[in-house]
Amino acid sequence: MKKEISKPVKEYSFFEDVYDVVRQIPKGRATSYGAIATYLGTKLSARMVGWAMNAAGSAKPKVPAHRVVNRNGMLTGKHHFATPTLMEELLKKEKIVVKDEKIVDFEKIFWDPSKELNL
């Protein structure tokens, strides 16, 4: 009797889906945890998107996690970067103005994956 060899099955990874979305955010734009969750069809999973961003440091290819903030434009994930100011520094390199740990005119630079990406 021949032994069947099963092929490895690619497991679903919510984190990888999040990273795929974040990699598409253009330089000079930012989005929110909730907007990514909504795009992925898990509207109530903004916190899970945050966990994915926290783990993004080791992802390959790189994930521009600095472009993901809370719904008000606050740099709530800044404590998970190598230094407390790195998230803000990376945003400023992309000409995004940050004041008091919040993106200025967030609604103008907001990138909505549900509108920008084809479902």
Side-chain angles (χ1 to χ4, degrees), residues 57-118:
S58 61
K60 300 286 184 217
K62 288 186 176 185
V63 176
H66 62 283
R67 297 182 189 145
V68 184
V69 296
N70 82 356
R71 63 190 169 102
N72 299 312
M74 296 291 298
L75 311 189
T76 53
K78 72 178 193 146
H79 303 292
H80 301 287
F81 283 77
T83 67
T85 59
L86 182 57
M87 184 177 190
E88 182 173 339
E89 291 166 14
L90 292 169
L91 289 168
K92 286 181 175 181
K93 277 185 181 178
E94 296 183 8
K95 309 290 189 240
I96 295 177
V97 179
V98 177
K99 183 177 181 187
D100 298 324
E101 301 180 359
K102 183 177 180 181
I103 294 176
V104 175
D105 294 327
F106 179 56
E107 62 283 346
K108 290 181 182 174
I109 62 110
F110 178 71
W111 182 83
D112 186 347
S114 294
K115 293 179 181 174
E116 303 289 342
L117 301 176
N118 293 326

Side-chain angles (χ1 to χ4, degrees), residues 19-36:
Y19 301 158
D20 288 344
V21 173
V22 175
R23 287 183 185 113
Q24 296 181 68
I25 304 169
K27 287 182 180 180
R29 305 286 299 276
T31 195
S32 68
Y33 305 105
I36 294 170

Side-chain angles (χ1 to χ4, degrees), residues 12 14 17-18 33-49:
Y12 168 77
F14 180 77
D17 286 350
V18 170
Y33 305 105
I36 294 170
T38 298
Y39 173 76
L40 293 175
T42 57
K43 187 176 183 176
L44 301 176
S45 297
R47 190 170 300 241
M48 281 285 291
V49 173

